Amino acid sequence: MTDPSGESTETADGIPFRLRDMELNVKFGDIHPIFNRIDDLRKQWKFMILLALNDWGRANYLMLGFGICAFLLGAVSTDIVSGGDSLSTGMDGLLGVGSFSFFQMLLSFVSWVVFLYFVWVEFPVMRVHSITMMLIWNGMVFANVFFHENNPIWPTDISLSDMMYGTLIMLVVIFFTYFFWKAVSDTRDLHVQVHHVHEDVRIMERDMHEHSLGGWGSMLLVWFSATFLSAWSGVNFVASRNNEAYLTLIIHVLSGIIVVPLILMIVWYPQRMLGTTTKISTSAALTAEIEMSQGQLSITTDAKCPECNASVTLSMGLNGQVSVPCPEAGCEAESGIIGSICAGCNKEFPSRFNCQSCSTNIPYVDTIPDSEAW
């Protein structure tokens, strides 16, 4: 939120710095202005990483540890390195692995369960999307299995006729990834429109830049690429049995280790930006939900006067519009969206709140608590 001077009033979020405070020692834009966009993305990456180092606690690092351990336990074993028994498949193949490899597989499964449990608890806003990311990862693995089914050295000697099922899965994966990005982007836009409304357009543009998702979007793209590389290299190594060249296995392990922290960063940052009470959804889904409920959906808030903590009566629709009571005497029972006309007295619903306890006059949006976002 912003005060009339345009300076941020959000100090309760505990952020010791802002995106606009980020400086780069080396700027590619000095070489040519075309590289200014790269510098902007570097600033956003720097901001996200420094903010994560400032905010992350024991639970976050435990998540990271369990995720990496789960991946490594499943990625490297004696059966995988040796190539296993090509004649043993299905349950026979599963039961035919060595005792240590079987125990290692169980440990990997348990570690993944613990990892997902931590993610589920620590990131309530991103629960569905975190599961989506894991499904995308597994979808890429299955897509590469189909790619390598008739061609163990794919993409060498590529044949389009052998890529139908894998391509179909990849199209679904790309759709889910785009939907994830779109949901976060639309929710960010709504957040800025609701919580950073200001009569000065320049200040709103500044706040929109503070909530830029360019760095997050590029991180999502890097995660997508690293995930596909990890899936391809792992399947490629297994498909080429008795392969003494361990380059693809090394690529699989290294890229997989990168994937895990990127997952945590990607699900943590939107929640940190938008708060734990936000619903991440695309604008189309939000509009459909409102229409199906005949416009009656609203979010209850614990709005209070920031000066004296007196209770403020208002409600916020899922489309971000704030409804307030009519201030006219005898018409207090009426309520409506700010700026609309009251049906009882034909007066406009005000955008500012006059506190009866401390005589403060402030915008209604500044009474809405949002302590876990910026």
Side-chain angles (χ1 to χ4, degrees):
M1 298 178 191
T2 53
D3 60 17
S5 66
E7 293 299 321
S8 175
T9 61
E10 295 175 331
T11 57
D13 53 26
I15 299 179
F17 42 77
R18 298 287 175 177
L19 177 58
R20 58 180 175 268
D21 299 327
M22 297 296 103
E23 297 292 340
L24 300 175
N25 295 327
V26 178
K27 295 183 179 180
F28 295 147
D30 294 338
I31 301 175
H32 194 281
I34 197 174
F35 298 122
N36 285 333
R37 179 56 180 166
I38 297 178
D39 288 336
D40 188 42
L41 293 178
R42 289 172 60 210
K43 285 183 180 180
Q44 294 183 42
W45 274 65
K46 181 179 180 180
F47 174 73
M48 287 188 291
I49 293 173
L50 291 178
L51 186 60
L53 293 175
N54 179 76
D55 282 10
W56 281 19
R58 182 171 177 267
N60 300 92
Y61 291 110
L62 280 175
M63 271 187 283
L64 182 60
F66 274 108
I68 293 177
C69 286
F71 172 77
L72 291 178
L73 287 170
V76 181
S77 69
T78 54
D79 288 277
I80 293 176
V81 173
S82 65
D85 184 1
S86 60
L87 300 179
S88 181
T89 60
M91 287 300 298
D92 293 335
L94 185 63
L95 297 175
V97 299
S99 57
F100 182 79
S101 296
F102 188 78
F103 178 69
Q104 186 176 337
M105 181 176 60
L106 290 179
L107 282 180
S108 176
F109 177 77
V110 172
S111 297
W112 278 124
V113 171
V114 174
F115 172 78
L116 292 175
Y117 171 77
F118 268 114
V119 172
W120 187 269
V121 172
E122 293 295 323
F123 306 119
V125 173
M126 304 297 290
R127 285 173 178 172
V128 174
H129 299 291
S130 60
I131 298 299
T132 299
M133 294 183 73
M134 299 304 294
L135 292 176
I136 290 173
W137 192 353
N138 284 275
M140 290 186 183
V141 173
F142 282 110
N144 276 280
V145 169
F146 283 112
F147 288 149
H148 288 79
E149 184 178 14
N150 297 318
N151 183 12
I153 56 174
W154 188 89
T156 305
D157 298 333
I158 189 172
S159 175
L160 295 179
S161 60
D162 295 333
M163 294 177 56
M164 182 177 66
Y165 294 112
T167 302
L168 180 61
I169 295 175
M170 284 304 302
L171 289 175
V172 175
V173 163
I174 292 172
F175 169 77
F176 276 111
T177 305
Y178 169 77
F179 181 84
F180 177 33
W181 170 83
K182 182 66 173 174
V184 174
S185 178
D186 287 355
T187 307
R188 182 279 313 268
D189 293 343
L190 180 60
H191 171 84
V192 174
Q193 293 169 9
V194 171
H195 297 286
H196 297 271
V197 62
H198 198 278
E199 58 269 15
D200 192 333
V201 178
R202 294 170 299 177
I203 293 176
M204 290 197 67
E205 289 178 349
R206 184 202 65 185
D207 289 338
M208 179 64 80
H209 180 264
E210 283 292 326
H211 293 74
S212 175
L213 290 175
W216 180 85
S218 63
M219 186 174 290
L220 181 64
L221 182 61
V222 171
W223 169 81
F224 187 92
S225 303
T227 303
F228 184 83
L229 179 62
S230 177
W232 168 81
S233 55
V235 174
N236 186 272
F237 180 81
V238 173
S240 305
R241 291 181 180 274
N242 302 318
N243 184 3
E244 296 182 356
Y246 294 102
L247 177 61
T248 51
L249 179 61
I250 294 173
I251 294 174
H252 172 63
V253 172
L254 294 179
S255 56
I257 291 176
I258 295 174
V259 166
V260 176
L262 285 178
I263 289 177
L264 295 182
M265 286 290 293
I266 289 169
V267 299
W268 162 79
Y269 188 70
Q271 178 172 296
R272 184 64 176 91
M273 173 190 289
L274 305 173
T276 56
T277 59
T278 303
K279 180 179 180 181
I280 305 294
S281 178
T282 63
S283 57
L286 190 60
T287 301
E289 187 175 359
I290 293 172
E291 290 178 351
M292 291 178 64
S293 301
Q294 298 179 346
Q296 298 301 313
L297 290 176
S298 63
I299 303 172
T300 57
T301 66
D302 297 324
K304 295 180 180 179
C305 173
E307 298 295 331
C308 65
N309 290 326
S311 179
V312 179
T313 302
L314 60 80
S315 63
M316 183 188 301
L318 288 177
N319 58 355
Q321 294 181 319
V322 178
S323 296
V324 299
C326 182
E328 293 296 319
C331 198
E332 294 86 351
E334 297 288 338
S335 64
I337 298 172
I338 291 176
S340 62
I341 303 300
C342 176
C345 62
N346 292 325
K347 296 293 183 66
E348 185 177 289
F349 287 103
S351 62
R352 302 184 69 86
F353 167 69
N354 290 310
C355 182
Q356 301 299 320
S357 300
C358 63
S359 301
T360 301
N361 182 276
I362 55 175
Y364 267 107
V365 292
D366 284 352
T367 67
I368 302 174
D370 194 26
S371 59
E372 297 187 58
W374 70 81

